[in-house]
Amino acid sequence: MATVKANRPLHYFVGILLAASVLTALSHLLLPAGSPFAASTYTITLLGKYLCYALLALAVDIIWGYCGILSLGHGAFFALGGYAMGMYLMRQIGSRGAYGNPILPDFMVFLNWHELPWYWYGSSHFWFMLVLVLVVPGLLAFVFASLAFRSRVTGVYLSIMTQALTYALMLAFFRNEMGFGGNNGMTDFKDLLGFDLHADSTRVALFLITALLLCAALWVSYRLIHSRFGKIIIAIRDGESRARFLGYRTEHFKVALFVFSAILAAIAGALYVPQVGIINPSEFSPINSIEMVIWVAVGGRGSLFGAIIGAILVNYAKTNLTAVLPDAWLYALGGLFVLVTIFLPKGLMGLWQKLMTKQAVKS
């Protein structure tokens, strides 16, 4: 009975998220375009992007909120997942590209490449893309975390290292020699598993799949954090030296959680690319990774639900503010982070919990 009560917030949140997603999809498919309650194609695509960001924020919250590791480089894993999906989508274009080459993507033909690089082999298969999405970011996270945590690098030094990682990858992917489209990246995608990416039905399907995977990731993360593994992770966050004194190999737990978080970020990137229609090296930009941290801080780190809410709200504000005052967004974002840090150190979820506690005391 106690377990059921403990899981109620998760059940309520997942139920609301799924219900809202399904209703939005139905309003787009069933209601006429002129109806005030109909969701437009633009709205569906925008909401799908927000849900990808929410999954990315969840990945950051797991590692920062529960293990105390402030990663300023999760944009690297997000972008790597996006590039893996982009490789598959580019191969699906085939002879429909501008140069009509059935094997080489347009940017390779433009650069006078005569054959696919070895790391593109298999990219025309969906299953291979799924393997790349999970394995490449996961392997990078494992190598990076193993070296960092076994050397007991912590605090601001670790944050700088994660930021340096994503910056180095950004510089590498800007190079045409890398074989990923250089500064232009990859775009002009046509199909996904034979479905037209520009069709409304495909966009709705991608939106719903993103919502389902977000809920699945939330459920897995919630169960993980409330397991014995999660209790040890929290103990490491609150006192790593004590946990180590009790006999726990703390670096093993931190590496495992970091890899899990990186894979979630990569999945978010893979879902993001077919909905937005482009992937380029700017996704590696360190400023993007800093924004992710702000999403989690606004929503409330160490709450899971707060990370999702923060990502959606901040990006909604970004969409509206940049449409009116595009140059003011970074100032607004910085000001928001300062205000949250000073007045809402536990974010919106912390404020909600405080209000609920006061209400319970009054009643």
Side-chain angles (χ1 to χ4, degrees):
M1 193 68 178
T3 304
V4 174
K5 290 183 178 180
N7 290 337
R8 277 181 182 173
L10 174 66
H11 296 158
Y12 290 152
F13 191 89
V14 168
I16 293 171
L17 182 58
L18 285 177
S21 300
V22 171
L23 288 175
T24 302
L26 290 176
S27 71
H28 175 73
L29 294 174
L30 301 180
L31 296 180
S35 172
F37 300 104
S40 65
T41 302
Y42 171 77
T43 300
I44 291 292
T45 303
L46 192 63
L47 291 177
K49 184 171 75 169
Y50 290 169
L51 293 183
C52 292
Y53 286 152
L55 179 54
L56 180 56
L58 181 66
V60 174
D61 189 32
I62 288 170
I63 198 70
W64 183 34
Y66 291 95
C67 200
I69 299 170
L70 177 57
S71 172
L72 298 179
H74 262 54
F77 308 120
F78 177 81
L80 287 174
Y83 266 99
M85 173 62 82
M87 291 167 67
Y88 168 77
L89 295 175
M90 289 300 294
R91 293 297 305 280
Q92 299 310 298
I93 296 175
S95 58
R96 292 173 293 174
Y99 295 98
N101 192 303
I103 298 177
L104 296 180
D106 282 343
F107 67 86
M108 289 187 184
V109 178
F110 178 77
L111 295 172
N112 294 320
W113 290 50
H114 301 293
E115 60 181 4
L116 280 175
W118 62 267
Y119 44 86
W120 276 75
Y121 293 162
S123 57
S124 60
H125 302 289
F126 186 74
W127 65 267
F128 183 79
M129 180 277 298
L130 292 180
V131 172
L132 285 183
V133 168
L134 300 177
V135 172
V136 173
L139 184 60
L140 176 63
F142 176 78
V143 173
F144 175 85
S146 296
L147 293 174
F149 298 145
R150 288 176 182 174
S151 302
R152 298 189 181 180
V153 179
T154 58
V156 65
Y157 301 104
L158 181 64
S159 299
I160 292 173
M161 286 176 61
T162 58
Q163 192 171 60
L165 173 67
T166 188
Y167 187 69
L169 286 171
M170 182 185 72
L171 294 179
F173 274 74
F174 264 117
R175 297 175 60 87
N176 290 328
E177 296 84 354
M178 283 288 290
F180 294 107
N183 63 323
N184 293 320
M186 305 177 190
T187 189
D188 195 30
F189 307 130
K190 310 291 186 186
D191 303 323
L192 175 61
L193 291 174
F195 296 98
D196 182 7
L197 284 174
H198 302 288
D200 283 358
S201 57
T202 306
R203 292 182 180 275
V204 170
L206 286 170
F207 167 66
L208 291 176
I209 289 171
T210 305
L212 285 172
L213 288 178
L214 173 60
C215 291
L218 176 60
W219 184 86
V220 172
S221 302
Y222 187 91
R223 300 298 295 175
L224 182 69
I225 293 302
H226 289 81
S227 67
R228 180 176 178 272
F229 177 88
K231 290 182 174 63
I232 296 172
I233 285 294
I234 294 173
I236 292 172
R237 178 197 66 187
D238 295 339
E240 185 172 358
S241 59
R242 293 181 182 180
R244 193 181 295 116
F245 179 76
L246 291 173
Y248 291 108
R249 297 290 298 273
T250 57
E251 64 273 13
H252 292 174
F253 289 90
K254 292 164 71 175
V255 168
L257 191 69
F258 195 84
V259 171
F260 174 71
S261 174
I263 290 175
L264 286 186
I267 293 172
L271 292 167
Y272 172 87
V273 169
Q275 297 184 77
V276 176
I278 188 172
I279 179 70
N280 58 44
S282 65
E283 297 298 340
F284 286 103
S285 175
I287 189 64
N288 290 351
S289 296
I290 295 173
E291 277 196 39
M292 299 166 198
V293 172
I294 296 176
W295 303 341
V296 177
V298 170
R301 70 186 181 105
S303 62
L304 296 181
F305 309 129
I308 295 174
I309 294 171
I312 294 173
L313 290 180
V314 173
N315 280 285
Y316 175 78
K318 180 179 181 179
T319 300
N320 288 276
L321 184 58
T322 52
V324 180
L325 299 169
D327 297 330
W329 169 244
L330 289 180
Y331 298 102
L333 188 65
L336 178 64
F337 186 59
V338 171
L339 291 175
V340 168
T341 302
I342 296 174
F343 298 107
L344 290 174
K346 294 185 178 180
L348 295 175
M349 285 300 295
L351 177 62
W352 172 260
Q353 291 170 358
K354 185 181 294 185
L355 292 175
M356 290 297 99
T357 301
K358 288 183 178 181
Q359 187 66 26
V361 171
K362 288 181 180 180
S363 60

